[in-house]
Structures are given as C-alpha cells and as structure tokens.
Amino acid sequence: MTTQARRLLRATGFLGAVFLILAVAAVASAPTASGGTSLLSGRAFADGVIARAVDEATADATVSREDMGPLGPMDDVLGRQAADAPPWFEQEVLPLAEACDLRALDDWSVVGFTMAGEVATVRQWVVASLEERGWALVETGEGATLAGIKEGGTCPWLLLSCTPVGDEVCIVVQIPVP
C-alpha cells in the first residue's frame, strides 16, 4: 500500500470517527419540544438564528423582520472582500482572487463564494488548488461534498461542496476555528 493510499485511509477513518462523535453528541444534547420530539431540523435551527439576530438588532434600534434581508441583520455582516481574508486562508485553503459574492463568518470557519463556469471545471480547479497546498481529499458520499485533511498548518481538516447555481458554481468551505 502506498503512502498516499495509507494517508487517504487514515483520513477517511479519522473523518468517519469525527462525524460519528459529532452525531452522537448532537443527538445526546438535542433540545426537545414539549411533545418530546427533536428540534434538530434545519428549519428549527434557522428560525432560532434569525430570532436571536432580530432580538439583538432590536435591542439597539427599532427594526422589524420586514426591514431586513432574508438572513436578517447577518446580510450586512457576512459580505466580504478577498482582501478581508486572513493570510492563512489563501496560503492554506483556497485563493480568493476570482471569488464573487464572498461570504464568511467573522472567524472564517465557514466561507462561501461563487465562481463563473461549469461545476466540473470549477471543482477540478478547487481540487487542484487544495492538493497543491498539501490536502488529501476524499468523497464523503453526500452529494458533491469532499472532506480533506492536511498535516501541519492552521487548518487540519475541511469540508467542501461545489454546487451549480445557474451559470455559476457555489463553493462552501468549512474548517475548524483556527
């Protein structure tokens, strides 16, 4: 077995264990509704985030949900420019020079952007860029999602998806908080 195959096997095993631990922890600590049903649905999470954001926004000013965009006050906060990216992101993850509609959390643990082109071409560019930076990537089996690990650096693992949206491709990268 080659070194790369062993690394890939270790990466797959490691990510599988991480996902299993996260799933068990989420189920064990999941809040329940009054009927005893789990509130782990995406809709319940999104409603909670929007409600908290509106509460925070209305604490300082009189703002209604109708006065905000679809993501509430987060619409203004999440927009970024490539120059806003911390140096480690472009060095270790992906270059953002051609990124459009760049969105990122304050800690850059979740980054999303679009690129013009067909999904196969853009995905090939993304994979090549990550492999140049030392990432070992594997298919997760969930749609067009890839998982990657890397030895050394700020980011030890990542999850990546490339989804076609009209004439563009939406790329979302999730990494642990550095």
Side-chain angles (χ1 to χ4, degrees), residues 32-112:
T32 57
S34 59
T37 59
S38 176
L39 297 176
L40 285 176
S41 72
R43 180 71 184 173
F45 176 77
D47 286 345
V49 168
I50 291 171
R52 281 191 301 277
V54 168
D55 290 344
E56 290 174 9
T58 57
D60 295 330
T62 306
V63 179
S64 69
R65 286 188 188 202
E66 291 77 30
D67 295 333
M68 296 183 208
L71 293 178
M74 293 186 294
D75 274 342
D76 295 331
V77 175
L78 297 176
R80 306 281 186 208
Q81 301 294 321
D84 296 337
W88 59 262
F89 189 86
E90 290 201 11
Q91 291 169 356
E92 293 191 35
V93 185
L94 287 171
L96 298 172
E98 296 184 33
C100 299
D101 302 320
L102 179 62
R103 303 280 181 173
L105 294 181
D106 287 337
D107 61 6
W108 289 78
S109 62
V110 179
V111 179

Side-chain angles (χ1 to χ4, degrees), residues 14 85 90 161 163 166:
F14 173 76
E90 290 201 11
S161 69
T163 308

